[in-house]
Amino acid sequence: MSGANRTAIAVAGAAGAALALAGAARARQPEERPEAPGTFTQIGRESIHHMSSTAGSGPTVVFESALSCPCTEWAWILRSLDGRVPYLAYDRPGNGWSSQHKPAVTSADLNLLTKRLLHELGLSGPYLLVGHSVGGLLARTFARNHAADLAGIVLVDSSHPDQLRRSTLQREGMPLVKQGISRMHLRSRYRLLPEANPDDFGAIADLPADLVEPSGRIMRRPEPWAAARREFALWNTEWAPQAASTLLPEALPIGVVTAGQQASMDLAHGRMQAELAELSTVSMHKVVPNAEHDGLVMNEDQARNVTSVIEWALERHANRVPTGP
């Protein structure tokens, strides 16, 4: 047999094996959807999953999650606030357990959906917006679209509108983040992920014990990663410019909580976090030593720092609102 023929046979065999593997992958179904820990409310075409409470008094605390994270990321903070103030943590369309039939294009679309959900649940304003990572941009644009309803903002290791321009570390890391999201979408779609492990998704393993398993399983579904791909494309082109151009009300309480590890690894990130606290004359900036970006919310001990800054913002709002004669 000639060398050319042997090569042709080898190539054909490899191609056949690749096709067989692709076929086997297509035949695999994604991970089963775990039971949702919260409840669902229909907003237009979307079934929105949320964890919420109308108990307590004062402004309603509204949580905007990080890229691809389910609303269970806020569990420790929700439990510390439960019964004291009304609150809402929800999964944006496509994230967590929420449906996504028509992708939102602008931050205004998402802010309007949030407002409609609050209205449907009977959660009245004013609202204290708490945003983690890219959720911080949406918290700021809420002020642009619903300024009259705003009690304050807490930014938890929030994205900064200029971070890709000013942080070399983050700018150079963006292709790897994009590649990782696409890889997770593909692997979860064809169930090519290894057997479930609580540590597969980092700080999710630090959530309350009853939420670790469902939160990890929902992250093994393709929908959150498809949503992350869409949001990744929007956050720097649409959400960030809208946040940057939003003028916040004078003396609006603004709390900033920064992950110490992120700030020490990326000095530009630390400087931009300090700038976020300068958006208002009434502000507080808390740097949590040794905290990582996700652990700042999902680790019980570190999350106490976020709760304390939320309490600070609620107190400052109460002090600036006239109580009458």
Side-chain angles (χ1 to χ4, degrees), residues 40-63:
F40 292 87
T41 297
Q42 196 72 25
I43 303 294
R45 296 182 62 191
E46 306 298 356
S47 179
I48 301 298
H49 172 254
H50 55 88
M51 302 169 74
S52 60
S53 171
T54 58
S57 60
T60 299
V61 184
V62 183
F63 295 87

Side-chain angles (χ1 to χ4, degrees), residues 9 30 54 70 133 146 186-187 189 195 198 209 225 230 241 243 253 275-276 284 286 314 322:
I9 291 172
T54 58
S133 196
H146 307 285
L186 181 65
R187 295 177 70 190
R189 182 179 178 186
E195 289 301 311
W225 300 105
R230 289 188 287 268
E275 289 175 9
L276 294 176
M284 176 183 186
K286 189 167 193 173
L314 291 169

Side-chain angles (χ1 to χ4, degrees), residues 35-282:
E35 183 177 352
T39 56
F40 292 87
T41 297
Q42 196 72 25
I43 303 294
R45 296 182 62 191
E46 306 298 356
S47 179
I48 301 298
H49 172 254
H50 55 88
M51 302 169 74
S52 60
S53 171
T54 58
S57 60
T60 299
V61 184
V62 183
F63 295 87
E64 285 286 357
S65 302
L67 190 74
S68 81
C69 287
C71 65
T72 52
E73 74 159 329
W74 301 103
W76 290 118
I77 298 165
L78 299 184
R79 294 182 183 193
S80 68
L81 296 175
D82 198 39
R84 296 195 285 149
V85 294
Y87 62 78
L88 167 69
Y90 76 106
D91 290 327
R92 291 190 295 272
N95 290 278
W97 286 263
S98 289
S99 68
Q100 183 160 54
H101 292 99
K102 182 181 179 182
V105 175
T106 68
S107 54
D109 293 334
L110 287 168
N111 292 154
L112 178 59
L113 182 145
T114 306
K115 190 69 186 303
R116 290 178 64 190
L117 179 58
L118 288 163
H119 177 76
E120 191 69 24
L121 295 173
L123 290 166
S124 59
Y127 303 110
L128 175 68
L129 271 290
V130 183
H132 178 210
S133 196
V134 298
L137 298 174
L138 295 174
R140 290 175 64 177
T141 60
F142 190 93
R144 178 190 188 94
N145 298 305
H146 307 285
D149 296 322
L150 200 63
I153 297 176
V154 174
L155 301 171
V156 184
D157 218 44
S158 171
S159 299
H160 188 288
D162 293 336
Q163 68 186 55
L164 294 190
R165 180 177 63 84
R166 294 171 54 185
S167 170
T168 302
L169 189 65
Q170 295 188 47
R171 184 171 59 253
E172 292 180 348
M174 283 302 101
L176 290 176
V177 174
K178 183 178 181 180
Q179 182 183 29
I181 292 171
S182 295
R183 183 170 59 249
M184 287 301 298
H185 178 243
L186 181 65
R187 295 177 70 190
S188 59
R189 182 179 178 186
Y190 295 121
R191 205 165 184 170
L192 298 176
L193 293 169
E195 289 301 311
N197 184 313
D199 295 323
D200 284 346
F201 302 103
I204 277 181
D206 294 333
L207 289 174
D210 58 310
L211 293 177
V212 171
E213 190 265 347
S215 299
R217 283 182 58 196
I218 202 66
M219 293 298 290
R220 295 170 66 84
R221 295 276 305 177
E223 294 88 353
W225 300 105
R229 289 173 65 181
R230 289 188 287 268
E231 292 188 352
F232 184 85
L234 287 171
W235 75 266
N236 194 50
T237 58
E238 204 282 330
W239 298 359
Q242 289 294 311
S245 63
T246 298
L247 295 177
L248 298 175
E250 186 177 357
L252 179 76
I254 294 182
V256 176
V257 192
T258 300
Q261 280 201 22
Q262 305 303 116
S264 61
M265 288 169 48
D266 183 357
L267 297 181
H269 177 73
R271 288 192 292 269
M272 286 185 283
Q273 290 287 296
E275 289 175 9
L276 294 176
E278 296 170 0
L279 291 171
S280 172
T281 57
V282 180

Side-chain angles (χ1 to χ4, degrees), residues 286-304:
K286 189 167 193 173
V287 180
V288 182
N290 301 319
E292 295 183 343
H293 182 68
D294 289 340
L296 187 57
V297 170
M298 300 188 215
N299 176 278
E300 183 178 11
D301 291 336
Q302 294 172 10
R304 291 192 183 100

